[in-house]
Amino acid sequence: MITMLRAALAATAVALGGMLASPATYAQAGSAADEIEKYRQALQDGNPAELWEARGEDLWKKPGGPKNASLERCDLGRGPGVVKGAYAELPKFFADAGRVMDLETRLVWCRVNLQGMTEADARRSPFGSPERKSDNEALTAWITSESKGVAMAVSLDHPKMREAYDVGRAIFFFRGGPHDFACSTCHSEDGKRIRLQDLPNLTVKSGAQRGYTTWPAYRVSQGELRTFQWRLNDCFRQQRFPEIEFGSPASIALTTFLAYNANGAPFAAPAIKR
Amino acid sequence: MADPMKIRATLVGDSTEVRVLMSHEMETGQRKDAAGKTVPAWFIQSVTATHNGKTVLSAQWGPAVAKNPFLSFKFKGGAKGDKVQITWTDNRGEKRTDEATIG
């Protein structure tokens, strides 16, 4: 029975992987997940996320907003204008704002305080579509790409960070909604999957590292680059929870919980996913 | 105006390897929007690559090519510092040309 299931999975992998390898290779390789991994590797070269990164760098440097100022003085936690490695230390407590922020919330803050945009304008359409490209996705793509290879190092030394972590942990295990789901329903066991997508076990270090360090990512099926705020938003939709508001304290708390659990792993995004 | 291409050109032995990422919707003309109306086809029709003004690749593309396409090819010759130029034209007549230096 197991062999049959495996054969069926391998056959699907052939369909997905297209012309990447001969059928003989598949017969030996076994697990469908391995084959999907090969498919992802093949896509790695020429990741369209680079198009978002290029646009994001431009947006960062170009003066904009009512004050016609660029974001180059934006403090992402390592001092004004320091982008290299900044994402690996986020979320963080920002004294000037008096609260814990993730990258996307911090970008809203900088666009309001440096560029003079209204809070509503800075928060508008954080997730893009073909008709309406998102500045948030482009900026996030570029800033996170500047942390590629940097080890995740989120600190809980500040009491507000500790609080965010604890709240995030509580949300992760909180069951609710019409399906009585929690994040942990899908993400606290090894070997779970949705269709052919492996779901990382986010309660163990290796799973949290693999999950967290590969977002943002270019979603081939959507043709868009998606950020971590988008990932959380869509997880909540899949659980049939009320929508998690972009940049809300709940979203930052959950991000803090997951980012801290990923500490030590080299950051590996923007990645490419199905 | 379309977003710029991302072009990398590297010398490998006696040939040049060129990798290009293009930003384009590549709409097939088969899709319908939320209102049920067909989304008109919009895709890159021709791609040309030149090295020092000489054409090294010319391709005709159709709607089956993916959104934000990636193109990789090699040509014989080329030296460090030479320019490689890529041009695409889509079915709306829109055009984009970008250049990279062989490294």
Side-chain angles (χ1 to χ4, degrees):
Chain A
M1 185 59 204
I2 288 170
T3 347
M4 270 179 65
L5 185 62
R6 275 219 174 148
L9 287 174
T12 323
V14 173
L16 278 174
M19 309 287 284
L20 295 178
S22 70
T25 334
Y26 283 99
Q28 292 159 5
S31 160
D34 293 348
E35 299 311 320
I36 291 172
E37 197 42 51
K38 277 188 211 160
Y39 167 65
R40 292 208 181 104
Q41 288 294 326
L43 288 176
Q44 220 27 268
D45 192 21
N47 183 351
E50 286 183 35
L51 298 168
W52 272 256
E53 291 167 25
R55 199 161 66 83
E57 184 174 4
D58 220 49
L59 280 168
W60 178 263
K61 292 176 176 166
K62 201 176 63 191
K67 289 189 186 166
N68 201 34
S70 86
L71 289 167
E72 285 168 306
R73 300 300 298 161
C74 180
D75 183 354
L76 300 173
R78 309 194 76 192
V82 183
V83 176
K84 266 241 139 31
Y87 190 68
E89 293 172 10
L90 290 171
K92 199 175 226 172
F93 177 81
F94 286 89
D96 53 6
R99 59 194 169 105
V100 172
M101 291 170 150
D102 66 345
L103 172 63
E104 292 166 73
T105 322
R106 188 62 184 170
L107 282 171
V108 169
W109 193 89
C110 283
R111 292 166 85 193
V112 169
N113 287 281
L114 294 176
Q115 298 190 312
M117 291 170 96
T118 64
E119 179 90 12
D121 279 342
R123 280 175 179 276
R124 192 158 295 144
S125 50
F127 312 133
S129 63
E131 297 76 33
R132 201 185 48 213
K133 293 276 175 207
S134 147
D135 290 352
N136 171 57
E137 284 172 345
L139 283 163
T140 303
W142 180 63
I143 292 162
T144 54
S145 77
E146 290 287 297
S147 287
K148 223 171 207 174
V150 178
M152 288 298 303
V154 175
S155 159
L156 297 187
D157 289 348
H158 195 282
K160 287 285 183 200
M161 279 297 287
R162 169 54 70 181
E163 185 187 296
Y165 179 88
D166 290 340
V167 170
R169 189 175 188 283
I171 295 173
F172 184 83
F173 290 103
F174 179 81
R175 275 167 61 171
H179 293 339
D180 199 23
F181 253 58
C183 306
S184 60
T185 311
C186 296
H187 287 292
S188 62
E189 259 179 76
D190 290 337
K192 282 218 169 188
R193 59 182 173 81
I194 291 183
R195 298 180 297 271
L196 278 175
Q197 313 302 318
D198 288 319
L199 297 169
N201 177 355
L202 298 174
T203 60
V204 300
K205 197 149 192 77
S206 61
Q209 291 179 329
R210 190 162 68 89
Y212 190 80
T213 59
T214 53
W215 288 95
Y218 179 79
R219 261 290 165 91
V220 177
S221 54
Q222 301 180 0
E224 296 287 339
L225 182 127
R226 296 308 189 193
T227 65
F228 203 70
Q229 280 280 342
W230 177 89
R231 179 61 275 173
L232 292 182
N233 186 289
D234 202 51
C235 278
F236 271 58
R237 182 192 63 79
Q238 288 169 315
Q239 292 180 71
R240 308 296 185 268
F241 266 129
E243 189 177 346
I244 190 166
E245 199 189 317
F246 173 75
S248 59
S251 71
I252 298 168
L254 201 44
T255 306
T256 305
F257 171 67
L258 296 168
Y260 179 78
N261 289 349
N263 267 358
F267 185 70
I272 186 164
K273 291 174 192 263
R274 62 157 181 99
Chain B
M1 178 81 171
D3 279 341
M5 284 177 246
K6 191 107 189 167
I7 309 172
R8 280 167 300 175
T10 40
L11 206 59
V12 184
D14 61 347
S15 55
T16 303
E17 193 180 338
V18 186
R19 285 177 294 176
V20 194
L21 257 176
M22 303 171 201
S23 179
H24 202 283
E25 280 305 316
M26 301 301 286
E27 199 55 69
T28 61
Q30 310 278 335
R31 240 163 35 94
K32 289 190 169 68
D33 65 13
K37 277 208 286 242
T38 304
V39 184
W42 178 30
F43 54 88
I44 294 175
Q45 259 179 332
S46 75
V47 181
T48 323
T50 61
H51 163 241
N52 288 342
K54 184 179 153 240
T55 301
V56 290
L57 174 133
S58 128
Q60 291 173 358
W61 281 7
V65 175
K67 178 173 175 170
N68 299 324
F70 173 66
L71 167 71
S72 170
F73 65 94
K74 278 185 199 170
F75 66 88
K76 275 236 166 76
K80 272 194 187 7
D82 283 3
K83 301 262 188 253
V84 174
Q85 214 176 47
I86 315 277
T87 303
W88 59 250
T89 313
D90 68 20
N91 66 328
R92 289 185 186 171
E94 209 176 315
K95 236 179 166 162
R96 169 100 216 171
T97 301
D98 288 284
E99 198 178 66
T101 308
I102 301 176

